[in-house]
Amino acid sequence: MVAFSQGPGLGPALRTVATAARSLSLSLNIPIVGVNHCIGHVEIGRLTTGAQDPVTLYVSGGNSQIIAFDGGRYRVFGETLDIALGNCLDQFARSVNLGHPGGPLIEELANKSNNYIKLPYTVKGMDLSFSGLLTAALRKYEVGESFRGCLLQSTGDCFFYGSGGNRTGFSTCQKKGSYACGGVAANRRLEKWYR
């Protein structure tokens, strides 16, 4: 069987993958199935961690969601109300000339700072908002705050309330396990906050 990411995602990338998958399926004479990109991350995480019936914090450049299998299907129990966590980090990095993608460099620089600065954040139930945090971090930077301090606090806040929302999902959904998945989940600071 050939499986491919059917979406969500960027149109040109999705079309390219769909075309390649169809070609492979036809040439090998095997079935093809489209897979939801987000659920692909969740299922790969479940398989690699061995988690049974988990609630998942899915964080990437394009998505930030709290997802669990409930009532015979995957349900989103919480999500970003505006921009995804990875998008927040990448926008900050571009705005302070750190380049793209910003996540790995932000992690490295934030680990070298102990300068915590106060930044606002929004959590509504299990839904998260990162745009206000991004704006506040950029404003602090613009008035002379060390970008390392902005990075340390903004990533810490993002990770803290992302993992906090997932903990709420864990207790609300009465699940047996929990983990983070997606590109941003590779960040060791998130792993620390998550535990």
Side-chain angles (χ1 to χ4, degrees), residues 49-180:
T49 63
Q52 299 295 315
D53 196 25
V55 62
T56 305
L57 176 62
Y58 169 47
V59 282
S60 69
N63 297 284
S64 295
Q65 300 175 318
I66 299 166
I67 302 171
F69 196 78
D70 187 58
R73 64 186 177 95
Y74 277 102
R75 294 184 52 203
V76 176
F77 287 91
E79 62 189 329
T80 181
L81 299 172
D82 43 41
I83 61 174
L85 176 55
N87 188 320
C88 175
L89 298 174
D90 287 342
Q91 281 190 45
F92 183 87
R94 282 192 304 271
S95 297
V96 299
N97 298 314
L98 292 177
H100 180 81
L105 186 55
I106 286 174
E107 177 182 10
E108 179 185 328
L109 293 171
N111 285 335
K112 295 176 182 176
S113 176
N114 290 321
N115 180 26
Y116 285 91
I117 56 173
K118 188 172 183 166
L119 295 171
Y121 60 89
T122 303
V123 177
K124 294 181 179 181
M126 284 188 274
D127 290 329
L128 315 166
S129 175
F130 298 109
S131 63
L133 185 85
L134 171 63
T135 300
L138 289 172
R139 286 190 179 145
K140 292 279 190 179
Y141 174 76
E142 289 166 0
V143 297
E145 188 69 53
S146 155
F147 72 83
R148 286 191 177 142
C150 292
L151 293 172
L152 178 65
Q153 189 59 32
S154 64
T155 57
D157 284 349
C158 286
F159 296 159
F160 176 73
Y161 67 84
S163 62
N166 202 45
R167 286 189 195 109
T168 303
F170 183 76
S171 61
T172 301
C173 302
Q174 298 179 348
K175 296 296 179 182
K176 300 175 185 174
S178 180
Y179 64 90

Side-chain angles (χ1 to χ4, degrees), residues 18-42:
T19 301
R22 276 192 296 278
S23 297
L24 187 59
S25 172
L26 289 170
S27 68
L28 297 174
N29 196 29
I30 57 176
I32 184 172
V33 63
V35 177
N36 179 289
H37 181 179
C38 305
I39 300 305
H41 279 287
V42 171

